[in-house]
Amino acid sequence: MRIGTALPQFGPLAEPHLIAGFAAEAERLGYDALWAGDRALTPLQPSDLYPGCTPEQPWPVEQARAIDPVVVLTAAATATSRVRLATSTLDAPWHTPLLLGRSLTSLDLLSQGRLDVGFGVGWMRTEYEALGVPWAQRGARLEEILDVLRAMWTSDPVEHKGTLWRIPPSRMDLRPFQKPGPPVLLGGFGAGALDRIARRGDGWLPVTVVGAGPDLEILEGLWQAIKQGAEAAGRDQEALRRELRVNIAPGLPVESAVPVLQSARALGYDGAFLDLSYNAESVSHALEIAADIIERYRKG
């Protein structure tokens, strides 16, 4: 199982000039993947609470400071040579697919084919309103974005006629390093999201919080539903991947993540990665934790 860690992107870890050094050291420690997430803003009165939060503190305070995920991964790409570079998740409906495709293709070329694209649809209506993007039909918006990206990565000339976007027949010589394009993994737990993963994703991006759940047994049931849906859609269910995000609830010892990583490995996960945004006080502290956890995991 591949072991990864989130890049320093949120809260006290969000120091852009330290990203490259963190990435290089994580690769040296033996990590296999580096991950970035997405956050547009943290409104004082959001429409929706972040999972596990309260009206008094509706979102993690760390998310008030967030670096752009493509910038974060670009910095990491220039400082590494082996690790995979991935998003869990990038909120695709916020973006225009043509420009999103240009950014992702450029990043895949820069990294020489090390990009894994992880898409989600977000959870906060207020962000959509601030970005001028409709909250309704966000799943359908993601579906059309996937259509545009596939056309950009595989068609010549490129053309798209959809409900939201139209691209006239065009020559686009910027093509990704990976053929037919970077793997596209999708997040989500709802019925619509699971169906989309089964039909169109190269894999699933579940998440668990150590000390808060959901338990891996619950995620296992959802995974079986995805595989059954893939088989019903005529797809090879064995080709799908699982990459687990592991957050550690504040107040818990960071080493409590190790048994979760070991359980994920036993269940056949392809990869798992740590998000230390809520546990580390600085980038150097995050590296100390990362070094300790990977050593404990290897010994186990």
Side-chain angles (χ1 to χ4, degrees), residues 99-202:
L99 297 181
L100 178 63
R102 183 181 66 179
S103 294
L104 296 175
T105 301
S106 300
L107 182 53
D108 192 56
L109 287 167
L110 175 66
S111 66
Q112 294 287 280
R114 291 186 284 136
L115 179 64
D116 289 330
V117 179
F119 284 147
V121 297
W123 55 273
M124 190 197 305
R125 285 168 291 174
T126 308
E127 282 183 304
Y128 277 76
E129 293 166 2
L131 293 164
V133 178
W135 171 258
Q137 300 298 311
R138 59 196 180 281
R141 198 176 189 90
L142 172 56
E143 296 259 6
E144 188 168 340
I145 289 171
L146 296 178
D147 292 338
V148 174
L149 292 177
R150 186 58 56 203
M152 292 179 67
W153 291 341
T154 62
S155 300
D156 187 16
V158 176
E159 182 178 10
H160 174 78
K161 296 179 181 179
T163 302
L164 298 172
W165 296 283
R166 295 178 65 87
I167 299 174
S170 303
R171 179 174 175 178
M172 295 183 185
D173 290 345
L174 188 73
R175 299 302 176 102
F177 188 93
Q178 299 177 87
K179 309 300 180 188
V184 176
L185 297 91
L186 303 174
F189 295 95
L194 298 181
D195 174 69
R196 187 179 304 113
I197 296 162
R199 290 185 293 104
R200 308 204 57 177
D202 293 312

Side-chain angles (χ1 to χ4, degrees), residues 220-280:
E220 194 67 16
L222 299 178
W223 177 239
Q224 294 306 316
I226 290 171
K227 293 178 70 174
Q228 291 169 11
E231 184 176 24
R235 304 184 68 203
D236 179 7
Q237 58 174 273
E238 299 305 322
L240 298 179
R241 291 167 48 189
R242 283 186 295 176
E243 302 280 351
L244 178 68
R245 170 187 284 271
V246 180
N247 294 352
I248 306 169
L252 287 181
V254 291
E255 59 267 22
S256 61
V258 175
V260 177
L261 296 176
Q262 294 169 338
S263 295
R265 180 180 60 192
L267 288 169
Y269 277 79
D270 298 276
F273 74 98
L274 302 161
D275 185 348
L276 302 175
S277 302
Y278 312 111
N279 312 100

Side-chain angles (χ1 to χ4, degrees), residues 196-219:
R196 187 179 304 113
I197 296 162
R199 290 185 293 104
R200 308 204 57 177
D202 293 312
W204 183 35
L205 296 168
V207 59
T208 187
V209 180
V210 180
D215 295 334
L216 296 191
E217 290 79 6
I218 294 175
L219 297 180

